[in-house]
Amino acid sequence: MGSSSSISSAHLLRLYDRFESLDRDNRGCLSPDDFEALGGLAMNPIGGRIMEAFFSSGQDTVDFSSFVRILAHFRPTDRNRNKEGAQQELPSSRTRKLKFAFQLYDMDRDGKISREELLQVLRAMLGLQVTEEQLQSIAERAIQEADLDKDDAISFDEFKKSLEKTDIDTKMSVSFLK
Amino acid sequence: MPPFTWAVHNLLCRCLSIPISAWFTLLCLFIIVPAVLGGCFSIRSLYLRTLLKIFEVSLIWVPNITKKVQNQNPLTSLQQEIRGSASCLCSDHEFDMADIFYFCRRGVESIVDDEVTKRFSAQELESWNLLTRSNYNFHHINMRLTLLWGLGLLTRYGILLPLRVTLAVTGISLFLFLTTLVGFLPNAALRSYLSEKVHMMGYRMCVSSLTAIITYHNRENKPNNGGICVANHTTPIDVIILASDRCYSLVGQMHRGLLGMIQRGMVKSSPHIWFDRSEVKDRHLVAKRLSDHVADKTKQPILIFPEGTCINNTSVMMFKKGSFEIGCTIYPVAIKYDPRFGDAFWNSSKCGLVRYLLSMMSSWAIVCSVWYLPPMDREEGEDAVQFANRVKAAIAARGGLVDLIWDGGLKRAKVNNAFKEELQKLYSKVLVGDHEDQSERMEIQKKKDSTTRQ
């Protein structure tokens, strides 16, 4: 739990309570069923992919430390407590968030977002609301804009570059205490 | 004094080694007499006002309190977020790799905290009421607060809890004894009259043993015979709270042990409907027994909680349609607990009934409001589900609760895809636009191109 030692104890307590309430059979770990029972996740178009992120190491259960480790990606970077006094987000947390998002696209974990993978994500987010041609044209445009070395796929660096002006911090942060 | 109560008090006092007279005077003066006679409000309101004053004072000692963040409606915030700032003049938004962030964040938010599961854990307070069980965000802040909390702890466990437990034990034993007695009476009219009195006495003593301070509103709408009373469910104590105002027939499973004994005792003097475990599954049998009971106008109204499970009193969840299919008058009742003095919600997965009751008895008080709503009938062309939703909306509006469409049993079931489609539709509108919009824009674009060429 080395990297997550930067999470405050109040947050940890809150996450542990949440972990316990999700763990319906009280086994000390979460299974895919526990995630699927969440209405909010089931109605999310990419809910399945987010779930995959928790089970990524090939196991079929998630224990508390993995749960916290993944959710730590979404910790809001607390700008007031930054020791240097700088107002920008820490580069490591930005990279972590970007890596998480990249993995949502790159399902086979080969380090590149291929055209098919992009099409799959678009299809998930849009469902049956758009035609196949519209989908293809959207994917085509996205790849042309981001793909700098023209290998017809988007690598992590290209992904990072295309998002350098975006404020990742607010978009990918979830507050744990409500 | 009947010898029975003497024996009980004798035993208790020997255990506690306090002179009988002192103990008895205390009990009699402050609790039993007001309980039997139906309440003594001035002392109770004084008690509550003092407590509130103390909480206010303790609030000043806490440096800053985290304010709750309002949860936005997911459908409107999608448009705001993905379209970006208002400075973007073009209404057409092109797909950006960052669009996925919105969905990702919403997904993780629902893992960390979601509408349904949130209703099954106790409500969080904005200020602390000196009970550690409602203490999520507060840790040791300063000495004064901890001292105050310690003092509160002593009062609650040392004085309030023993008094209440004694009262509860006395009350229940008296109740069982008297209902059995009344059950032996041959004359039916006298029996029903006396049984009502005995039941009311029993409920009132239970109410006092919890220090439940109940305010009834709109008493003119109190349920009449030959109907079904429905209410939102937060805790098993709901039954006691409603039943101390008028007698109901209860419906439920026959339990074993102490609860089973109480159930059998209750049936001897008035018609409750207790099911065997095997019968519960048979819906037709249940419906038949209910409608038979309702058709008999001399019998008391039935009390049912259509949610089927305990919710944490911030919202009302889906009502099961069974009781709305019978076709009789429905008397809705809204119950709202004041969480500042003690959290009444029973989280059955976290603690058992006995522990729950003990924690109830060691809270400051259980303060609640009960609103009797005007009776409702099923209208022409309305089916059971729509009727149930109408009743639910009325109860939620009266009690100031959130009206949710989710099923309380949802925590163990999957949800339908209608919501997923809504989100997909909205996102596609943002990206691709409506057909009319698109053709219009294409026209405008063509005109622009032709003018620039010129």
Side-chain angles (χ1 to χ4, degrees), chain B residues 303-319:
Chain B
L303 181 59
I304 289 187
F305 297 103
E307 280 164 318
T309 179
C310 290
I311 315 286
N312 78 345
N313 206 235
T314 55
S315 63
V316 183
M317 291 206 163
M318 190 170 101
F319 276 4

Side-chain angles (χ1 to χ4, degrees), chain B residues 330-343:
Chain B
I330 300 280
Y331 297 94
V333 177
I335 309 176
K336 178 85 177 113
Y337 290 87
D338 189 341
R340 290 176 298 177
F341 298 101
D343 187 17

Side-chain angles (χ1 to χ4, degrees), chain B residues 175-186:
Chain B
F175 173 72
L176 280 176
F177 178 66
L178 286 174
T179 45
T180 334
L181 264 186
V182 168
F184 286 135
L185 286 175

